[in-house]
């Protein structure tokens, strides 16, 4: 849940997109990328001497096909894509083409190396295997905006990017990611990329509902984004209470239990500054001061990413709904109709080709994905399937029972 001043662009945009089945998290993060693209590297926080931390973001909306990823991206992008300095690229491209496009000569006041890359079908751009790995690697290299970034190959020559500032918004199914990119590479990239995963429709809405003043809201939002685009510049500073809030949070936040999440936890402070800057810009186009409310919003989003979204997403990426052992254990727990002891699970596993190691991995994944509960009682560890209304666990993962019945009736 994101709270902000009623006059904030975040609040206005929430009204603008109305009420539909598109997850609110998709709308939030898509809009934050559009806002970041408007300002590029013209505002910054001086976190380290001689370096500017800018509010550019890498965000990927991921989930089942047809759950609103493209709608959320399209709503946000259309508000800013015509601003010339945003330098929006909306479509599909190889990494070699993108490097060539970003390295072209400036023209008409547009700095090509400062760009908003929007890819609603990531699979078409990234490919699979080495191609996908190369795309992620080179885009990752551009994240921090080095003064000079060069890449040279015999086939494509030398590409030189100066002071690049790239904001990236992508959409894809999680299955494509796990089929195309090694889990270790995905986890490594997670520290820089906000991956927003939604696996089900939160509520069924027959027809989207929009406010009566949607057109007026669009004009106001677009006008204020134009001000951010044209007028925002300079260093952003922290108010005293916001700085104290940040420092307390930074010194006391616990390290994640999953070692793979440590890089994201370590980079969480940079993301905190980026989000706090964007929250300030959402209220005033100069965004010169990060106030307490901006600090609270940034902290809540970073903590959500590291402690809630990260474990849930990693469980999915590691096979929480895909590998045969996980599916087998999930079926066993669901069909049990009640709690099952760890001892009983191991005994069942021995006769069903699920080793002790597989069992531990499966239970960890299911617990991280919030599909089971675990409780210790009288020296015994008990596991129980956590039933979700209207959902069941099948060979392909979580399945909407009503949709499945509709398919059977077709």
């Amino acid at each position: 849940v994101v709270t902000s001043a009623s006059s904030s662009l975040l609040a206005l945009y929430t009204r603008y997109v109305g009420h539909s089945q598109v997850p609110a998290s998709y709308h939030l993060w898509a809009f934050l990328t559009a806002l970041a693209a408007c300002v590029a590297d013209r505002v910054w926080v001086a976190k380290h001497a001689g370096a500017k931390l800018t509010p550019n973001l890498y965000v990927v909306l991921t989930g089942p096909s047809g759950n609103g990823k493209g709608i959320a991206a399209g709503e946000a992008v259309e508000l800013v894509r015509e601003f010339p300095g945003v330098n929006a690229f909306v479509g599909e491209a190889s990494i070699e083409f993108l490097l060539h496009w970003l390295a072209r000569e400036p023209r008409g006041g547009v700095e090509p190396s400062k760009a908003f890359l929007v890819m609603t079908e990531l699979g078409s751009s990234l490919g699979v295997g080495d191609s996908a790995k190369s795309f992620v690697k080179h885009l990752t290299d551009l994240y921090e905006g080095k003064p000079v970034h060069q890449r040279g190959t015999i086939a494509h020559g030398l590409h030189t990017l100066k002071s690049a500032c790239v904001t990236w918004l992508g959409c894809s199914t999680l299955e494509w990611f796990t089929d195309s990119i090694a889990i270790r590479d995905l986890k490594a990239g997670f520290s820089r990329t906000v991956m927003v995963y939604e696996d089900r429709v939160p509520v069924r809405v027959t027809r989207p509902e929009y406010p009566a003043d949607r057109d007026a809201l669009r004009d106001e939002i677009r006008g204020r984004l134009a001000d951010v685009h044209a007028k925002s510049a300079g260093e952003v500073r922290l108010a005293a209470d916001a700085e104290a809030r940040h420092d307390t949070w930074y010194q006391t936040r616990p390290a994640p239990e999953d070692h793979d999440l440590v890089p994201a936890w370590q980079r969480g402070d940079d993301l905190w500054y980026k989000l706090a800057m964007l929250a300030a810009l959402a209220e005033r186009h100069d965004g010169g001061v990060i106030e307490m409310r901006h600090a609270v919003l940034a902290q809540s989003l970073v903590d959500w990413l590291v402690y809630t979204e990260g474990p849930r997403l990693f469980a999915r990426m590691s096979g929480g709904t895909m590998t045969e052992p996980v599916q087998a254990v999930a079926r066993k727990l669901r069909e049990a109709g009640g709690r099952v002891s760890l001892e009983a699970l191991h005994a069942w596993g021995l006769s069903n080709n699920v080793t002790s190691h597989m069992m531990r991995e499966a239970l960890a994944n299911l617990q991280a994905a919030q599909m089971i509960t675990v409780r210790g009682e009288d020296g015994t560890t008990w596991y129980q399937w956590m039933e979700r209304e209207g959902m069941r666990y099948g060979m392909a993962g979580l399945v909407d029972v009503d949709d499945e019945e509709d398919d059977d009736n077709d």
Side-chain angles (χ1 to χ4, degrees), residues 39-274:
V39 73
D41 59 358
R42 293 187 298 279
V43 301
W44 67 89
V45 167
K47 181 180 176 183
H48 299 289
K52 298 178 179 179
L53 179 61
T54 61
N56 65 306
L57 295 173
Y58 282 9
V59 172
V60 174
L61 310 180
T62 185
S65 179
N67 76 334
K69 300 180 291 294
I71 293 173
E75 289 269 27
V77 172
E78 285 304 313
L79 292 171
V80 303
R81 69 180 300 175
E82 300 302 324
F83 298 162
V86 167
N87 192 27
F89 178 95
V90 183
E92 305 157 9
S94 68
I95 189 61
E96 295 299 344
F97 175 85
L98 285 176
L99 290 173
H100 174 78
W101 185 76
L102 292 167
R104 68 193 191 280
E105 290 297 320
R107 182 180 298 177
V110 175
E111 296 184 66
S113 63
K114 306 183 193 310
F116 186 20
L117 306 182
V118 183
M119 300 173 179
T120 56
E121 294 292 342
L122 272 180
S124 300
S125 293
L126 276 67
V128 297
D130 290 341
S131 173
K133 182 178 180 179
S134 176
F135 190 104
V136 172
K137 178 184 182 301
H138 290 298
L139 205 59
T140 299
D141 288 343
L142 296 175
Y143 179 76
E144 294 177 354
K146 301 172 184 175
V148 177
H149 178 86
Q150 291 185 310
R151 171 169 166 76
T153 64
I154 297 296
H156 300 93
L158 178 65
H159 296 138
T160 300
L161 282 65
K162 296 181 179 179
S163 300
C165 182
V166 174
T167 288
W168 179 42
L169 174 61
C171 303
S172 179
T173 64
L174 192 61
E175 288 77 12
W176 179 87
F177 270 120
T178 54
D179 288 345
S180 305
I181 305 176
I183 296 298
R184 63 179 179 277
D185 296 324
L186 276 172
K187 290 182 175 181
F190 181 78
S191 65
R192 294 176 177 86
T193 303
V194 177
M195 293 183 67
V196 184
Y197 179 69
E198 295 288 352
D199 63 354
R200 60 173 293 186
V201 176
V203 62
R204 297 189 182 194
V205 179
T206 305
R207 296 174 187 83
E209 301 170 3
Y210 299 105
D213 60 346
R214 179 175 161 88
D215 289 344
L217 280 172
R218 182 186 186 281
D219 291 343
E220 180 178 356
I221 293 169
R222 197 170 190 278
R224 287 178 57 180
L225 287 171
D227 284 341
V228 171
H229 174 59
K231 301 175 182 179
S232 299
E235 182 179 352
V236 178
R237 301 183 182 277
L238 274 71
D241 56 351
E243 184 174 24
R245 171 82 180 221
H246 165 268
D247 293 353
T248 299
W249 167 78
Y250 184 81
Q251 293 293 337
T252 59
R253 62 190 184 124
E257 295 180 2
D258 187 339
H259 178 75
D260 288 329
L261 280 165
V262 170
W265 177 73
Q266 291 174 326
R267 290 185 178 274
D269 191 45
D270 284 357
L271 183 60
W272 186 98
Y273 281 109
K274 289 173 179 282

